[in-house]
Amino acid sequence: MTSMSRARVARRIAAGAAYGGGGAGLAGVAVVGLLLAEVRLARRHVNHGAMPHVPKAQGLYGAGYTVPGEPPLRLTLLGDSTAAGQGVRRSGQTPGALLASGLAAVAERPVNLRNVALPGARSDDLERQVALALADPGQAPDVCVIMIGANDVTHRMPPTRSVRCLATAVRRLRTAGAEVVVGTCPDLGTIEPVQQPLRWLARRASRQLAAAQTIGVVEQGGRTVSLGDLLGPEFAANPRELFGPDHYHPSAEGYATAAMAVLPTVCAALGLWPADEERPDVARREGFLPVAKAAAEAASEAGTEVAAAMPTGPRGPWALLKRRRRRRLQEPEPASTPVHPS
């Protein structure tokens, strides 16, 4: 699918989400049925190798940066098993811990991490998760990272409903004063147990949803980072290294790669990224685009950020597309305060 046609589909899905339309299936009823059959086989394979325990990584990171009278930054993760960190054994290998320690190092300030993500969650679970995140008005998050979408595709959630649920969650979090960064739907075509010819169908459905998610998120004042096939080339070359033991979720190395892509956007949302990197770099093909076109381009190139840029014009809302440099993240030390499950 071309970038232009993906932009049209994304606009249609996002409009349906905004105005209550039902929307067509992501890849057609018949082919989605085939995809689901393939994914069920993949899940059976996953269950044979899955680790039921998801490491709990909540707590304080960067305690050495503590300054009396200055509270830590509050980071909350929401979403599905990817946000929870399923597939790794140690808390320091989860994306939450990697993001918290990276944010603490950039901000030179402690970061209090909370994770309300639920393995297997779809976008309609975000209402519950947001309620948990905002339960204490005096402890509202400074920034939230949401990773969601894969289960929406595999469970055939109508894309308009999926985007509507996500946009509502972003709006509630932004209204509470939190910055929001969304890692959009990953590329299901990279999952090892899913075979051809259905890999390209999975990829198509994933990218359509990711582009529509981007439009919905940006219109509510959030930012997105396309996870897409971020790990695709690496998975293809080193599937045993970047997939975890269940061959479905990322390994520690895979999560570190994803966290490296998301961290710069989290820092930028909080005003912590170097000012010279906030200006669009033409050499990296960055710039201002209609939001649907930016969303389609981002869905095609993993690690790309999209953020609101200008008021609505004749061609609709505009967005800034950025390709931020990734920096290596080290596995952090365990959280320095007791961990309390959500």
Side-chain angles (χ1 to χ4, degrees), residues 230-254:
L230 177 69
L231 305 176
E234 291 91 339
F235 274 150
N238 304 294
R240 297 294 181 268
E241 181 179 343
L242 293 183
F243 274 125
D246 61 10
H247 304 285
Y248 188 91
H249 295 97
S251 65
E253 185 70 19

Side-chain angles (χ1 to χ4, degrees), residues 26-272:
L26 284 170
V29 175
V31 294
V32 168
L34 289 172
L35 175 60
L36 287 174
E38 193 79 7
V39 169
R40 288 190 192 100
L41 291 175
R43 281 197 186 128
R44 197 169 302 150
H45 184 96
V46 166
N47 290 336
H48 290 159
M51 292 175 288
H53 171 70
V54 177
K56 297 295 183 181
Q58 297 187 128
L60 190 70
Y61 290 80
Y65 296 113
T66 300
V67 174
E70 184 176 351
L73 290 169
R74 292 185 290 269
L75 166 65
T76 300
L77 261 70
L78 306 89
D80 55 24
S81 56
T82 305
Q86 187 169 0
V88 294
R89 299 184 181 278
R90 296 196 298 273
S91 61
Q93 297 171 330
T94 62
L98 292 165
L99 288 171
S101 61
L103 177 58
V106 173
E108 296 186 342
R109 186 173 167 186
V111 173
N112 191 20
L113 171 66
R114 189 172 183 215
N115 197 320
V116 298
L118 178 69
R122 289 166 278 182
S123 292
D124 54 4
D125 189 57
L126 289 175
E127 181 179 5
R128 180 191 66 83
Q129 295 183 29
V130 169
L132 288 173
L134 301 180
D136 184 350
Q139 297 292 317
D142 293 298
V143 61
C144 295
V145 174
I146 304 174
M147 297 180 180
I148 200 83
N151 296 314
D152 296 15
V153 175
T154 60
H155 287 78
R156 283 196 290 185
M157 177 182 284
T160 50
R161 183 182 174 203
S162 174
V163 173
R164 188 182 305 125
C165 290
L166 176 59
T168 299
V170 173
R171 182 169 62 250
R172 288 180 62 193
L173 293 169
R174 294 289 292 132
T175 300
E179 298 292 339
V180 181
V181 175
V182 175
T184 54
C185 183
D187 182 0
L188 297 177
T190 61
I191 297 172
E192 264 198 315
V194 176
Q195 301 298 319
Q196 292 288 17
L198 296 177
R199 280 182 183 269
W200 75 269
L201 294 174
R203 176 166 289 114
R204 179 187 176 198
S206 304
R207 289 185 175 184
Q208 284 179 359
L209 180 57
Q213 286 178 318
T214 296
I215 296 174
V217 169
V218 170
E219 288 181 345
Q220 297 303 326
R223 303 181 184 219
T224 62
V225 178
S226 56
L227 298 182
D229 62 348
L230 177 69
L231 305 176
E234 291 91 339
F235 274 150
N238 304 294
R240 297 294 181 268
E241 181 179 343
L242 293 183
F243 274 125
D246 61 10
H247 304 285
Y248 188 91
H249 295 97
S251 65
E253 185 70 19
Y255 278 129
T257 301
M260 276 190 290
V262 173
L263 178 62
T265 300
V266 171
C267 294
L270 292 171
L272 298 171

Side-chain angles (χ1 to χ4, degrees), residues 310-318:
M310 303 179 194
T312 299
R315 299 175 65 186
W318 284 68

